[in-house]
Amino acid sequence: MSAIADVFARCRAEKRAAFIPYLTAGDPDLATTADLLHAMAAGGADLIEVGVPFSDPIADGPVIQRASTRALASGTTLSGILRLVARHRDRLDVPILLFSYYNPIHARGVDEFAEQAAASGVDGVLCLDLPPDENTPDDFIPAMRRHGLDTVFLLAPTSTRERVRRVAQYSRGFVYYVSRTGVTGDHGELPKELVKETRRVRRKVNLPVAVGFGITTPEQVASVAKVADGVVVGSALVKLIEERTGDDGLAAAVEQRVRELTEPLRR
Amino acid sequence: MARPRLRPDLQGYFGPYGGRYVPETLMAPLEELARAYDRWSRKRAFKRELRELLTHYAGRPTPLYHAKRLTEHLGGAQIYLKREDLLHTGAHKLNNAIGQALLARTMGKSRVIAETGAGQHGVASATAAALLGLECVVYMGVLDTVRQRLNVDRMELLGATVTPVDTGTRTLKDAINESLRDWVTNVRDTHYILGSVLGPDPYPRMVRDFHRVIGEEARRQLKKQAGTVSPDVAIACVGGGSNALGLFTAFIDDRKVDLIGVEAGGIGDDLGEHAARFGDGGSLGVLHGTRTLVLQDDEGQIAATHSVSAGLDYPAVGPEHVLLADEGRIEFTRANDVEAIGAFDLLARTEGILPALESAHALVHAARIAPQMSRRQIVLVNLSGRGDKDVESVQRWKAERESETAEPRTEAARTGVAVHPAARQWVTEGGE
């Protein structure tokens, strides 16, 4: 079983949802990212999504767009991120899911990327703009399989039954359900249909289902955790990082926020 | 003539290029759009309504004009201009905007969005939306709202909301990013009128098909005016590549016709100084939903581009162009900013036509090759848009050059066509 699958199995045994924080690697620089990964783990993260910054993040709202800009400005590269993961892998007791747009991976070459990512200790990969499709000529999925990387794909409120089936078929580790049509970030209330929609997806998918996009507060974590196997918080944490950058207390603040967000899961 | 091949394939690929590289939220809507397009574009009623609007509203067919003074000045092949600049709103873009707006209405969408670089696609979309009673939002890079200010005013007068995009390079690329973000959010009631042969399937084929009327008309008009359906060379500028495929598609299987696409050479050969994807700088990548040639760095980050022409200032190119280049069917070359301004002046002074700066890039290449061809040969140029929108840009550009070069203006008239000092060398020598 993969490390990611393990996490969900353990959480299930503990009768709780997994908590999955996101950060953009290299925001504001990779040294800080290293500290923040440990802070998130210490705060109670079960799995961490490490975002690869991209020049054209079409699925992200302003908060993560700004984080990507800062990360690129500090010279962050995919190679740098993989080296960072490799250096900290042994001391970091949570699986790492690389969260990327496809072009940086495509530019590397999928097989070379998969080999390097696996060697660095990355556990799985989610490409925001690469839906599973057997006609994709780049052999993304076979390359990830060859190197033992989980492939996490997205489902959305617009996904048809046929697409749900396809995403379930090609995903490994878990399926990421996007809470609403839109980009990442806080939009106030979660959609009313979210509970029903998440249940619909879970019935049809034989894998754990994590829900993300716009989940910001401990109360929202608690409500989503009732129906999902995992809860993702991204922009809310990236915003905290943005506000506290340059402040000595940044890592402690992130650890504290993760602790607050996971609190409802430990009850 | 060989039967045209099925392009793209059923999965939206032109060979290894194209596809649908988008967030999952857009996958079902793209499937729905492809189904709607396939269904409605074949229906007689839809075709009739489109044809009537293009004829009585937009002004098709646009003239094919034998540019005799320009031909005489260049001293070689006969130059014919396909006058898309005379289409309503001043560029070819309206062909596609009306087609997609009709489709949006047919699909029950009440709101359309569009990106724009030079502003021509934004104006065309705002126009089509006003015509069909749809709400319209246009995304435009902040840099482009400055250099194409007139078009911003036009869109607003037409009832559209223009949203300036202040991220990234603040040009066309970022306007597409923001349009995709809007679409992913409002996909249930919104249709995205993408303005070039770019993006995920079905856009590259749909936009091409709404524009192929350009080349089909040109063949018929050439037959009547020049006694042949086949020019020796057909030339078009290529940003995303919609006016080029609009012209070229009718000639793809006519092997007698050389097809030449002209990219923006900008101000230099280094990454960031031009928008020439087919040069050394371009490599295979995935941007805005399609796998194609992209200007990017080694890490797969998309490069900034430069062109004096906002409509060519884009780091990727339509996927079908890449396949046709692989097959040797379209040849690509480039024209730089100085050359484009020179061609702008040249057409203005010889023919009394202000071309769009985009189209001026195509004229540059016509002026390079025509003098080496015989008077019996024909060069067909797609004059994709008119230059009114560029008047301020051209004046500003010249003022900047003036202060840099400080050359006396008096010598400029020696060629018989007064051209700007900075562009004089190029016009006098007839190209490279």
Side-chain angles (χ1 to χ4, degrees), chain B residues 24-321:
Chain B
E24 172 65 25
T25 307
L26 293 181
M27 284 302 280
L30 284 168
E31 287 166 3
E32 182 198 347
L33 177 61
R35 267 197 311 276
Y37 174 64
D38 289 341
R39 174 153 174 252
W40 289 99
S41 63
R42 287 184 196 126
K43 292 226 186 240
R44 204 175 306 163
F46 184 91
K47 285 198 283 196
R48 191 192 314 119
E49 187 169 8
L50 180 59
R51 194 173 52 238
E52 281 174 7
L53 285 175
L54 289 178
T55 306
H56 303 297
Y57 178 77
R60 300 214 72 90
T62 59
L64 180 74
Y65 170 63
H66 185 189
K68 295 206 184 83
R69 287 247 307 150
L70 178 63
T71 299
E72 199 179 310
H73 174 78
L74 295 170
Q78 304 301 312
I79 312 277
Y80 282 82
L81 305 176
K82 180 59 176 161
R83 298 291 306 274
E84 291 300 296
D85 62 315
L86 292 176
L87 196 66
H88 179 44
T89 73
H92 73 291
K93 295 290 185 187
L94 191 64
N95 299 321
N96 170 54
I98 287 186
Q100 286 199 43
L102 264 185
L103 189 63
R105 196 191 62 186
T106 306
M107 290 171 75
K109 309 281 182 181
S110 57
R111 177 176 178 266
V112 292
I113 57 172
E115 85 292 343
T116 199
Q120 290 303 122
H121 176 58
V123 168
S125 298
T127 300
L131 175 67
L132 297 174
L134 303 166
E135 183 192 343
C136 180
V137 175
V138 179
Y139 292 95
M140 188 170 190
V142 166
L143 192 61
D144 293 334
T145 61
V146 173
R147 54 181 171 176
Q148 305 286 348
R149 209 193 41 168
L150 183 65
N151 274 342
V152 176
D153 295 342
R154 290 172 76 196
M155 288 183 266
E156 287 174 347
L157 289 171
L158 289 161
T161 305
V162 179
T163 306
V165 180
D166 198 15
T167 54
T169 58
R170 303 187 295 164
T171 58
L172 178 56
K173 163 178 89 79
D174 309 283
I176 297 181
N177 290 342
E178 210 51 42
S179 302
L180 286 166
R181 290 182 191 121
D182 179 315
W183 200 32
V184 96
T185 307
N186 301 301
V187 66
R188 290 192 166 102
D189 71 347
T190 297
H191 172 68
Y192 177 18
I193 305 186
L194 213 161
S196 194
V197 287
L198 298 166
D201 181 75
Y203 285 105
R205 62 187 166 101
M206 179 167 72
V207 177
R208 172 199 67 197
D209 290 344
F210 282 136
H211 282 306
R212 59 196 296 172
V213 61
I214 301 171
E216 285 162 5
E217 282 175 10
R219 282 177 76 83
R220 283 199 302 273
Q221 292 166 319
L222 265 181
K223 174 83 184 158
K224 211 162 157 191
Q225 294 171 233
T228 174
V229 295
S230 314
D232 294 276
V233 182
I235 306 174
C237 64
V238 179
S242 68
N243 91 82
L245 284 184
L247 181 70
F248 293 166
T249 298
F251 296 103
I252 294 281
D253 293 314
D254 185 350
R255 297 276 158 171
K256 292 189 293 300
V257 185
D258 289 342
L259 306 176
I260 299 176
V262 185
E263 298 183 281
I267 53 170
D269 292 337
D270 290 343
L271 205 58
E273 294 183 338
H274 62 85
R277 292 65 45 107
F278 287 93
D280 299 334
S283 53
L284 195 54
V286 173
L287 180 65
H288 295 147
T290 194
R291 189 173 195 259
T292 185
L293 272 186
V294 178
L295 292 166
Q296 57 185 328
D297 68 15
D298 296 340
E299 292 288 334
Q301 303 296 339
I302 307 306
T305 51
H306 171 84
S307 171
V308 68
S309 133
L312 303 183
D313 205 352
Y314 180 71
V317 63
E320 188 169 9
H321 281 285

Side-chain angles (χ1 to χ4, degrees), chain A residues 52-61 65 72 76-79 102-104 106-108 128-133 135-138 154-160 163 167 178 180-183, chain B residues 11 13 15-16 20-29 31 167-168 173-174 176-178 180-182 184-188 284-289 291 294 296-303:
Chain A
V52 177
F54 183 49
S55 52
D56 294 83
I58 57 165
D60 284 302
Q65 286 177 43
L72 292 174
T76 306
T77 62
L78 184 53
S79 310
Y102 186 39
N103 201 50
H106 183 273
R108 178 65 47 96
L128 270 161
D129 53 351
L130 185 73
D133 185 334
N135 301 301
T136 302
D138 313 313
L154 300 167
L155 279 174
T158 52
S159 300
T160 55
R163 294 214 52 85
V167 165
V178 174
R180 58 153 187 270
T181 59
V183 293
Chain B
Q11 279 74 41
Y13 281 93
R20 276 182 196 153
Y21 297 82
V22 294
E24 172 65 25
T25 307
L26 293 181
M27 284 302 280
E31 287 166 3
T167 54
K173 163 178 89 79
D174 309 283
I176 297 181
N177 290 342
E178 210 51 42
L180 286 166
R181 290 182 191 121
D182 179 315
V184 96
T185 307
N186 301 301
V187 66
R188 290 192 166 102
L284 195 54
V286 173
L287 180 65
H288 295 147
R291 189 173 195 259
V294 178
Q296 57 185 328
D297 68 15
D298 296 340
E299 292 288 334
Q301 303 296 339
I302 307 306

